Amino acid sequence: MAGDNPLGTILGVWAHPDDETYLCGGLMARAVRAGDRVVCVTATRGELGSPDEERWPSGPELAAVRTAEMETALAYLGVTEHHWLDYPDGGCGDVDQNDALSGWRGSGRRWTSSTYSWAPSRRARPSTNSASTSS
């Protein structure tokens, strides 16, 4: 199956732990098994994402649980390249895009933007930032 992915490297950028697994876990696992490179980037630790505040109160303990679950899921899928952005949960829309990219510039990593950014409504929207690539 090697060479079965004409797109090359797959880069998934996600807001919270577990988004990558339930939204494209099958695609990532298939790509890894085909010998393709898969890179996962997660913006937050998901510390505010509790469906049951009594059992799993929001905060550092929930972030630790979600972090461990994600590490286990990625290992099961075979994804070995993962990067945390460590933004506060619910705060992606408040991050200055130039500051966000500063950690990637000069790192040897290359990317092409989807030209989308976070809107105040916490939804993706077309970006007004003209910078679409970095190295």
Side-chain angles (χ1 to χ4, degrees), residues 42-58:
T42 310
T44 76
R45 300 281 175 156
E47 65 272 14
L48 299 181
S50 179
D52 183 348
E53 285 289 331
E54 190 171 305
R55 184 173 172 202
W56 296 108
S58 293

Side-chain angles (χ1 to χ4, degrees), residues 7-132:
L7 299 176
T9 298
I10 295 174
L11 170 64
V13 181
W14 308 97
H16 315 99
D18 78 12
D19 291 351
E20 78 296 327
T21 304
Y22 78 86
L23 292 170
C24 80
L27 174 68
M28 291 189 302
R30 182 177 185 270
V32 167
R33 284 176 180 83
D36 296 317
R37 181 177 178 212
V38 176
V39 181
C40 186
V41 177
T42 310
T44 76
R45 300 281 175 156
E47 65 272 14
L48 299 181
S50 179
D52 183 348
E53 285 289 331
E54 190 171 305
R55 184 173 172 202
W56 296 108
S58 293
E61 286 115 14
L62 180 60
V65 167
R66 295 192 75 187
T67 296
E69 289 174 344
M70 182 171 174
E71 290 169 352
T72 299
L74 290 177
Y76 183 78
L77 295 171
V79 175
T80 59
E81 290 186 66
H82 179 253
H83 306 278
W84 291 103
L85 298 180
D86 279 325
Y87 298 147
D89 197 7
C92 289
D94 298 326
V95 175
D96 180 273
Q97 288 187 18
N98 289 321
D99 290 342
L101 296 177
S102 67
W104 292 80
R105 288 190 177 112
S107 67
R109 299 179 182 115
R110 290 194 55 79
W111 59 274
T112 301
S113 172
S114 66
T115 69
Y116 277 79
S117 65
W118 289 103
S121 65
R122 297 179 60 181
R123 303 254 189 253
R125 67 168 182 219
S127 176
T128 58
N129 183 349
S130 62
S132 64

